[in-house]
């Protein structure tokens, strides 16, 4: 199949490019906007069976005025002094001013004598929005409130900062937009420099940027079509991840092809035959690699958390289109450029000295030393992964100068941090809510250690529902708050009133449900991804033991990578925890993308072994020829993901550093040394049951036939 594709593409390059242009333009012109299907609200990604979602629905029905997006407008003096009587009057007057302005998307701005903190330094005005966090009307209202408050306080010596779930989500979206710009610029620079140095050709350096840039735009369009057709939302992090995935994986596939193409040219083949042969051979590897990535990402569909399974469509579409690009558009462009592709120096001669020459000989002669040393190092790193600690504090993960973060810091210095987002306890009874039992519930909640205060119960208009706001001592996103709500608060609420439906909602309760479901999703996604990758490897290598070896290596690499993250961020940088989504996403990237390099080396090992070479000689040839390929492509991919560390968002920094470490381990250690070392140790058993060799002449005849 790949031989047929190669001959058609190389034989008709202009038709292939014309077809691509037509399809790409159609997608870009007619596709909906992906931003219209993007959300950063955790509640948008939870199943309706979860308690926090049921609580939200109950609140919307019986307390619509307070069940939507909320905000806290924090008023303080610019000199950090206590508010004077005049300042207090100005703060309360601000609530009236903003209410009278009738800001679109704002239903109420309220303040009272209870709005002032005990130390007298701040006033916390409450803002209610007409919608849920992430709704367009709410997102548009947040900057309007900030601007109106700043304007109203000019000349008073006071300043206002807006925080709360609505403002945090707006600031988060803005931070991700900025992050995408940083990532794109850094990625382009990295690819230009690295490809320019490796191939010494400005054409090769620029070509992937243009091609992958078009593919990225097309992927966003196709994903938007899918989101509209199947009615799903995607996470705000998708764009940033798509940039590094497409540019990283796409550059990998291009590098795989160019290295083999250059190798054939250096051996004296003409451009036409060399390109057909390279596309055929590398096409099999690239297709297997892409299917591995797609298979691993497909496991995300099994996750109940929408923030995880909503990543799957975009990533799968992206890798699938990149595969088609690598098999068609890239060879077509190479065919048109011909000898000019490697301008100005050409493919050049084989390097006289390469670090992979000595490495290949050492692996072939000392496989036990290689395997034991590398495995021991990975195991040591993996031990540190047991110290992993998660965090759900999305506010703390944003840059410190984020407006909502600054306002929260001012708020928490004078009030309990839990005042940012109270936990909501809803009570629904068939008839009127019993007042004595409701009062007992309020008292019991207030006695829970870790609860700062409890507001008086609020009854619905028909008297059959009640709302109690519980303010926690700790911030609503902290592990302490999650443990408190999951345990004592929910336990106390659920057992309080017989024959009543009691539900605990609010931001902290939502994160409790996210944490609970994440554990279940991880336990399902991890093994399914391994099985999918294992099956694809088995079909590619026609072996049972080789895929098992590769899967064990990849699993050890993941554990070592997570251990390295613990060392860097928890022990080194002093972070409170690593973002809760990092391990599962990191696992998929390391398992899927890290397997690319194993596939390239393993396929070459199998090819040379079946050509009649001994395991040691097959390892030497494979490492010498494909070691530079995996090291170059792995380094480019690692640097691409490392650009995430420049974003200022801690969760992206952790993911970028993790994937970079994992890819470097896979491309510099595992693929060019550990896997070949295992193949030498296990000899023909490594390829069981397809462990028969063929005469070298047969392979030579096949190479000639495939290139004609």
């Amino acid at each position: 199949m790949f031989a047929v594709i190669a001959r058609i593409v190389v034989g008709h390059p202009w038709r292939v490019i014309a077809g691509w242009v037509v399809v790409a333009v159609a997608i870009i012109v007619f596709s909906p906007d992906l931003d219209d299907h993007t959300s950063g609200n955790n509640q948008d990604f939870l199943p309706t069976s979860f308690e926090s979602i049921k609580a939200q629905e109950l609140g919307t029905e019986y307390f619509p005025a307070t069940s939507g997006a909320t905000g806290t407008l924090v008023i303080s003096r610019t000199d950090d002094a206590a508010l004077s009587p005049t300042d207090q009057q100005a703060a309360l007057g601000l609530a009236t001013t903003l209410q009278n302005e009738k800001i679109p998307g704002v239903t109420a701005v309220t303040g009272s004598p209870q709005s002032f903190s005990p130390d007298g330094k701040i006033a916390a005005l409450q803002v209610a929005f007409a919608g849920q966090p992430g709704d367009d009307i709410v997102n548009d209202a947040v900057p309007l409130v900030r601007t109106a408050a700043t304007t109203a306080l000019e000349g008073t010596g006071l300043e206002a900062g807006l925080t709360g779930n609505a403002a945090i989500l707006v600031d988060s979206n803005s931070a991700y937009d900025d992050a995408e710009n940083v990532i794109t610029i850094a990625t382009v620079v990295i690819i230009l420099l690295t490809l320019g140095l490796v191939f010494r050709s400005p054409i090769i350096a620029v070509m992937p940027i243009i091609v992958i840039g078009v593919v990225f735009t097309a992927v966003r369009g196709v994903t938007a079509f899918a989101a509209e057709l199947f009615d799903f939302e995607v996470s705000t992090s998708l764009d940033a991840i798509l940039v590094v995935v497409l540019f990283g994986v796409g550059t990998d596939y291009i590098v795989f092809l160019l290295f083999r193409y250059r190798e054939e040219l250096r051996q004296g083949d003409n451009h036409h035959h060399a390109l057909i042969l390279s596309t055929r051979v590398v096409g099999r590897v690239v297709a297997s690699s892409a299917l591995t990535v797609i298979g691993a990402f497909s496991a995300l569909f099994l996750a109940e958390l929408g923030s995880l399974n909503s990543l799957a469509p975009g990533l799968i579409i992206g890798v699938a289109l990149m595969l088609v690009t690598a098999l068609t558009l890239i060879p077509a462009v190479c065919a048109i450029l011909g000898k000019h592709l490697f301008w100005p120096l050409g493919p050049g001669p084989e390097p006289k000295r390469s670090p992979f020459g000595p490495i290949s000989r050492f692996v072939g002669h000392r496989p036990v030393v290689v395997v034991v040393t590398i495995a021991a190092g990975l195991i040591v790193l993996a031990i540190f992964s047991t110290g992993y600690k998660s965090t759900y504090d999305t506010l703390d993960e944003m840059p410190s100068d984020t407006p909502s973060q600054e306002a929260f810091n001012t708020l928490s210095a004078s009030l309990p941090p839990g005042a940012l987002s109270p936990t909501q306890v809803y009570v629904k009874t068939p008839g009127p809510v019993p007042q004595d039992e409701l009062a007992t519930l309020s008292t019991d909640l207030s006695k829970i250690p870790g609860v700062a205060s409890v507001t008086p119960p609020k009854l619905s208009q028909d008297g059959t529902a009640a709302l109690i706001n519980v303010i926690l001592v700790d911030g609503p996103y902290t592990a302490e708050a999650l443990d408190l709500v999951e345990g004592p608060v929910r336990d106390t609420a659920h057992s309080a009133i017989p024959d009543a439906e009691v539900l605990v909602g609010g931001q902290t309760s939502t994160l409790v449900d996210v944490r609970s479901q994440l554990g279940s999703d991880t336990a399902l996604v991890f093994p399914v991804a391994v099985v999918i990758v294992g099956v694809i490897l088995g079909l590619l290598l026609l072996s049972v033991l080789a895929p098992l070896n590769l899967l064990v290596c990849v699993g050890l690499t993941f554990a070592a990578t997570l251990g390295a993250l613990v060392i860097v961020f928890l022990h080194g940088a002093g972070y409170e925890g690593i973002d809760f989504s990092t391990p599962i996403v990191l696992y998929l990237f390391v398992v899927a993308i890290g397997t690319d390099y194993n596939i390239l080396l393993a396929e070459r090992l199998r090819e040379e072994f079946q050509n009649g070479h001994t395991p040691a000689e097959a390892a030497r040839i494979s490492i010498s020829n494909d070691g530079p390929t995996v090291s170059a492509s792995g380094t480019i991919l690692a640097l691409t993901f490392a650009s995430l560390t420049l974003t200022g968002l801690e969760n992206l920094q952790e993911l970028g550093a993790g994937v970079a470490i994992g890819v470097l381990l896979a491309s510099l250690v595992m693929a060019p040394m550990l896997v070949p070392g295992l193949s030498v140790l296990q000899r023909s058993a490594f390829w069981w049951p397809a462990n028969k060799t063929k005469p070298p002449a047969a392979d030579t005849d096949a190479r000639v036939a495939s290139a004609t």
Side-chain angles (χ1 to χ4, degrees):
M1 179 181 74
F2 295 107
V4 174
I5 293 174
R7 286 195 295 269
I8 292 175
V9 170
V10 176
H12 307 280
W14 285 112
R15 293 181 183 179
V16 173
I17 292 176
W20 260 98
V21 170
V22 171
V23 173
V25 170
I27 292 173
I28 293 171
V29 171
F30 296 107
S31 64
D33 189 350
L34 185 59
D35 292 338
D36 294 337
H37 302 278
T38 300
S39 174
N41 185 2
N42 277 318
Q43 288 187 335
D44 289 341
F45 298 111
L46 284 176
T48 56
S49 60
F50 281 9
E51 179 171 352
S52 58
I53 302 302
K54 290 181 178 179
Q56 177 63 48
E57 292 172 349
L58 195 152
T60 301
E61 180 179 357
Y62 290 96
F63 303 95
T66 58
S67 65
T70 59
T72 300
L73 197 60
V74 184
I75 315 300
S76 62
R77 287 188 57 86
T78 55
D79 58 6
D80 198 35
L83 299 175
S84 67
T86 301
D87 296 332
Q88 293 180 5
Q89 186 177 1
L92 295 179
L94 176 62
T96 303
T97 299
L98 296 180
Q99 182 70 34
N100 292 337
E101 285 193 14
K102 301 187 182 302
I103 299 172
V106 176
T107 58
V109 182
T110 58
S112 68
Q114 286 71 42
S115 301
F116 300 105
S117 62
D119 62 6
K121 285 191 171 184
I122 68 165
L125 308 181
Q126 300 306 308
V127 183
F129 295 92
Q132 294 300 320
D135 291 351
D136 289 341
I137 191 171
V138 176
N139 290 343
D140 294 339
V142 167
L144 295 177
V145 171
R146 285 173 167 164
T147 300
T150 299
T151 301
L153 293 178
E154 285 182 356
T156 64
L158 301 175
E159 59 184 0
L162 181 65
T163 188
N165 55 21
I168 291 171
L169 192 52
V170 167
D171 291 341
S172 176
N173 291 339
S174 176
Y176 275 107
D177 288 341
D178 293 341
E180 184 184 348
N181 294 332
V182 171
I183 293 166
T184 302
I185 294 172
T187 298
V188 168
V189 171
I190 289 167
I191 292 175
L192 285 173
L193 292 177
T194 52
L195 288 183
L197 290 173
V198 170
F199 291 99
R200 301 172 300 172
S201 167
I203 295 176
I204 290 178
V206 172
M207 179 181 66
I209 303 298
I210 298 174
V211 172
I212 300 174
V214 173
V215 173
F216 172 74
T217 305
V219 168
R220 293 188 88 255
V222 176
T223 304
F225 272 128
E228 193 168 88
L229 179 63
F230 297 103
D231 191 26
F232 64 84
E233 298 280 322
V234 300
S235 171
T236 51
S237 62
L238 177 63
D239 261 353
I241 295 176
L242 265 182
V243 169
V244 292
V245 167
L246 286 181
F247 277 95
V249 171
T251 304
D252 265 6
Y253 296 163
I254 293 171
V255 169
F256 287 177
L257 176 64
L258 292 177
F259 262 98
R260 187 62 182 250
Y261 182 34
R262 188 174 67 175
E263 178 186 336
E264 299 299 327
L265 292 176
R266 285 173 170 175
Q267 292 177 2
D269 202 354
N270 64 59
H271 282 276
H272 184 81
H273 289 170
L275 186 56
I276 292 177
L277 177 63
S278 301
T279 303
R280 177 185 69 81
V281 174
V282 175
R284 174 182 168 89
V285 173
V286 168
S288 301
S289 299
L291 289 176
T292 301
V293 177
I294 290 171
F297 288 156
S298 296
L300 285 173
F301 281 123
L302 300 176
E304 289 289 335
L305 285 178
S307 55
L308 292 178
N309 63 42
S310 69
L311 288 175
L315 294 176
I316 290 173
I317 290 169
V319 176
L321 285 183
M322 203 62 245
L323 169 60
V324 176
T325 303
L327 294 178
T328 58
L329 184 57
I330 297 301
V333 173
C334 292
I336 290 173
L337 292 174
K339 64 180 181 180
H340 302 293
L341 179 63
F342 293 97
W343 180 86
L345 301 177
E350 289 286 349
K352 295 181 179 179
R353 292 183 180 181
S354 168
F356 289 95
I359 290 174
S360 66
R361 291 189 292 272
F362 187 78
V363 171
H365 293 141
R366 298 286 187 272
V368 174
V369 175
V370 171
V371 171
V372 171
T373 302
I374 293 175
L378 293 176
I379 289 172
V380 169
L381 283 175
I383 291 174
F384 282 93
S385 67
T386 59
Y388 167 76
K389 180 183 178 183
S390 63
T391 180
Y392 293 77
D393 197 340
T394 53
L395 178 60
D396 189 54
E397 289 179 331
M398 288 195 291
S400 58
D401 60 350
T402 301
S404 53
Q405 175 71 65
E406 292 180 333
F408 172 68
N409 292 339
T410 303
L411 174 74
S412 59
S414 298
L415 289 172
L420 173 67
S421 181
T423 294
Q424 299 157 339
V425 178
Y426 293 97
V427 178
K428 178 67 179 72
T429 55
V433 178
Q435 295 299 306
D436 55 341
E437 294 181 355
L438 189 62
T440 301
L441 172 59
S442 297
T443 302
D444 291 344
L445 289 171
S446 66
K447 293 179 179 178
I448 297 175
V451 172
S453 62
V454 175
T455 62
K458 179 181 179 181
L459 292 176
S460 61
Q461 289 186 346
D462 63 1
T464 64
L467 166 63
I468 302 173
N469 284 316
V470 180
I471 299 174
L472 307 180
V473 171
D474 296 302
Y477 305 99
T478 61
E480 292 79 8
L482 268 64
D483 292 341
L484 187 66
V485 169
E486 184 177 27
V489 172
R490 282 188 173 179
D491 291 343
T492 300
H494 294 164
S495 61
I497 303 176
D499 301 324
E501 181 183 23
V502 183
L503 300 170
V504 179
Q507 186 64 53
T508 307
S509 185
T510 298
L511 292 177
V512 167
D513 289 338
V514 169
R515 184 171 68 174
S516 173
Q517 187 58 48
L518 181 65
S520 301
D521 286 348
T522 301
L524 181 61
V525 169
F526 273 37
V528 169
V530 168
V531 171
I532 292 174
V533 172
V535 170
I536 295 173
L537 290 175
L539 294 174
L540 169 69
L541 301 175
L542 301 176
S543 170
V544 173
L545 293 181
L548 290 177
N549 277 278
L550 266 57
L551 288 175
V552 170
C553 291
V554 169
L556 185 57
T557 300
F558 164 71
T561 301
L562 187 58
L565 280 187
V566 170
I567 294 173
V568 172
F569 290 103
L570 297 189
H571 299 305
Y575 284 16
E576 289 294 324
I578 295 173
D579 186 80
F580 67 94
S581 65
T582 297
I584 191 169
V585 178
L586 177 64
Y587 173 78
L588 293 172
F589 277 115
V590 172
V591 168
I593 298 177
T595 304
D596 285 0
Y597 311 112
N598 287 336
I599 289 175
L600 186 66
L601 255 296
E603 176 70 359
R604 188 63 179 259
L605 283 167
R606 186 177 70 90
E607 177 185 340
E608 300 302 335
F609 177 73
Q610 290 189 335
N611 285 342
H613 297 293
T614 65
E617 182 65 9
R620 186 194 67 77
I621 296 173
S622 301
I623 296 171
S624 297
N625 285 282
D626 287 346
T629 306
V630 297
S631 64
S633 56
T635 300
I636 293 171
L637 182 60
L639 290 174
T640 301
F641 270 95
S643 66
L644 291 172
T645 62
L646 305 176
T647 60
L649 291 165
E650 290 184 6
N651 61 327
L652 292 183
Q653 290 175 339
E654 292 156 2
L655 178 61
V659 175
I661 293 170
V663 167
L664 288 176
L665 287 175
S667 61
L668 301 181
V669 178
M670 182 171 58
M673 289 188 280
L674 181 57
V675 171
L678 288 170
S679 74
V680 176
L681 278 178
Q682 298 173 23
R683 305 185 66 78
S684 61
F686 189 80
W687 303 108
W688 182 87
N691 54 6
K692 296 180 180 180
T693 61
K694 59 185 177 183
D699 180 67
T700 302
D701 294 341
R703 287 166 59 90
V704 173
S706 67
T708 57

